[in-house]
Amino acid sequence: MKLQSYVKNTMDVLADVIKLQMPQEQYAHRSAMQSSEGPQVYKVGIYGWRKRCLYFFVLLLMILILVNLAMTIWILKVMNFTIDGMGNLRITEKGLKLEGDSEFLKPLYAKEIRSRPGNPLYFQSARNVTVNILNEKTKVLTRLVTGPQAVEAHSQKFEVKSLSGKLLFSADDNEVVVGAERLRVLGAEGTVFPKSIETPSVRADPFKELRLESPTRSLVMEAPKGIEINAEAGNMEATCRTELRLESKDGEITLNAANIRLPRLPLASHSSTGSRQKIYELCVCSNGRLFLSQAGASSTCQINTSICS
């Protein structure tokens, strides 16, 4: 029994050794065959149509790069790009500087806009030019609109001043003030004031007529220290349809002239038997009415008192 088991174990060991030796012999055989055939060379890379396609794409990419570079240089040349800016736009220490005509398609926000010294500044638009002044809450405080029909200014107060700071014109909700020494109205029909005006002097240009007229209402002139009407080189006319009244409450009315003519005074009846003379007596009724009476040796006003009724 012991012999059988020993033999069995020996056979198993031999079988394992044979199994281990067989791969080594096969490897040695393969190595011998390779050494007899020479070294093997394996090619690495892209060949054939793949290589041609790769060269084509590289060449196309180089062409696109050159075209892109040429277009970039052309755009820089046309737009006049420089270190200081582009085209007519220059970047300076004080801000932006534009030379020539400029067109803005959207609103322009700026702190200050001015032209070059000695050159005018033009604003041109196909419709209107609007200038808005906003507060911190973007609410419009002042607006200036120049349109095809009119120029409109919207603000709480409008003022025009001279270079010295003197007020020339001012307008608000309460009043309109003209601070110039003279206000000239050149219209053919003059000017119309729907309400009262206050001025120290109203006069016409030399050799021109001055007319104060109220077509449908009354014309009132008032002054605390007096009203002076003076025509130095011409006539003065006061015309009305019904009554012309000269009234002085505490003083007197003086007519100072070389000749005083009252051509349309009523003439009292005179005696047909007497001679028709051209001398008349001026009579005054108790109600202030004036009339003429033919002069006689004595006063004839008492005789013609019937005209006073």
Side-chain angles (χ1 to χ4, degrees):
M1 293 295 290
K2 292 181 179 179
L3 181 61
Q4 291 178 356
S5 60
Y6 179 75
V7 172
K8 186 177 179 181
N9 292 331
T10 302
M11 293 298 291
D12 292 336
V13 172
L14 291 174
D16 294 335
V17 171
I18 292 170
K19 290 180 180 180
L20 292 172
Q21 289 179 353
M22 287 181 64
Q24 294 177 0
E25 293 177 353
Q26 291 178 0
Y27 178 76
H29 177 68
R30 290 178 181 177
S31 299
M33 291 179 62
Q34 292 177 358
S35 61
S36 62
E37 294 177 358
Q40 295 288 332
V41 179
Y42 294 96
K43 296 180 179 180
V44 179
I46 301 174
Y47 299 94
W49 64 272
R50 294 183 180 86
K51 183 177 181 181
R52 290 191 293 271
C53 289
L54 179 60
Y55 287 161
F56 174 75
F57 284 122
V58 172
L59 180 61
L60 181 61
L61 182 60
M62 293 180 63
I63 294 173
L64 291 177
I65 291 174
L66 292 176
V67 172
N68 191 10
L69 181 61
M71 292 294 293
T72 303
I73 296 175
W74 180 75
I75 291 174
L76 292 176
K77 186 66 176 177
V78 171
M79 299 299 294
N80 195 11
F81 277 95
T82 60
I83 300 176
D84 298 331
M86 114 181 162
N88 295 330
L89 180 64
R90 295 288 182 268
I91 301 174
T92 62
E93 296 179 356
K94 297 181 180 180
L96 298 178
K97 181 180 179 180
L98 280 173
E99 297 180 356
D101 297 336
S102 303
E103 184 177 355
F104 299 94
L105 302 179
K106 291 185 178 181
L108 174 64
Y109 299 91
K111 181 180 180 181
E112 182 180 359
I113 300 176
R114 62 180 180 180
S115 64
R116 292 186 301 177
N119 293 334
L121 178 64
Y122 296 98
F123 289 95
Q124 185 176 359
S125 174
R127 293 187 179 180
N128 55 23
V129 177
T130 303
V131 180
N132 293 332
I133 307 299
L134 310 179
N135 59 3
E136 295 81 2
K137 299 180 180 179
T138 66
K139 182 180 179 181
V140 178
L141 298 179
T142 303
R143 174 179 295 174
L144 177 63
V145 181
T146 58
Q149 302 294 334
V151 177
E152 299 179 1
H154 303 267
S155 63
Q156 295 181 355
K157 191 174 183 179
F158 181 76
E159 292 184 353
V160 178
K161 294 184 178 181
S162 63
L163 295 177
S164 61
K166 181 181 179 181
L167 181 64
L168 300 178
F169 181 83
S170 174
D172 56 15
D173 294 338
N174 298 323
E175 62 180 1
V176 176
V177 178
V178 179
E181 296 180 357
R182 178 182 297 180
L183 174 63
R184 297 182 62 187
V185 180
L186 302 179
E189 298 296 331
T191 181
V192 178
F193 298 96
K195 293 185 179 180
S196 61
I197 61 171
E198 182 178 349
T199 177
S201 176
V202 179
R203 61 181 178 180
D205 289 338
F207 308 104
K208 300 290 184 179
E209 293 184 356
L210 175 63
R211 177 179 296 179
L212 301 178
E213 182 180 3
S214 178
T216 57
R217 300 291 181 88
S218 59
L219 178 62
V220 180
M221 291 186 292
E222 296 179 354
K225 292 185 178 181
I227 297 177
E228 180 180 355
I229 302 176
N230 186 12
E232 296 180 356
N235 299 329
M236 184 188 70
E237 297 182 2
T239 305
C240 64
R241 183 173 296 275
T242 55
E243 294 182 358
L244 177 62
R245 179 179 299 177
L246 300 176
E247 180 179 355
S248 177
K249 295 181 179 179
D250 298 330
E252 61 184 10
I253 298 176
T254 303
L255 300 177
N256 186 6
N259 297 316
I260 299 177
R261 299 181 61 187
L262 301 174
R264 301 183 61 181
L265 285 178
L267 180 61
S269 59
H270 56 276
S271 176
S272 57
T273 57
S275 62
R276 297 181 58 87
Q277 53 184 345
K278 296 182 179 180
I279 301 175
Y280 296 91
E281 183 180 1
L282 179 63
C283 305
V284 182
C285 300
S286 59
N287 57 6
R289 186 176 183 181
L290 300 178
F291 67 94
L292 296 178
S293 178
Q294 189 174 6
S298 60
S299 176
T300 59
C301 291
Q302 298 292 335
I303 304 173
N304 300 290
T305 55
S306 59
I307 199 172
C308 297
S309 57

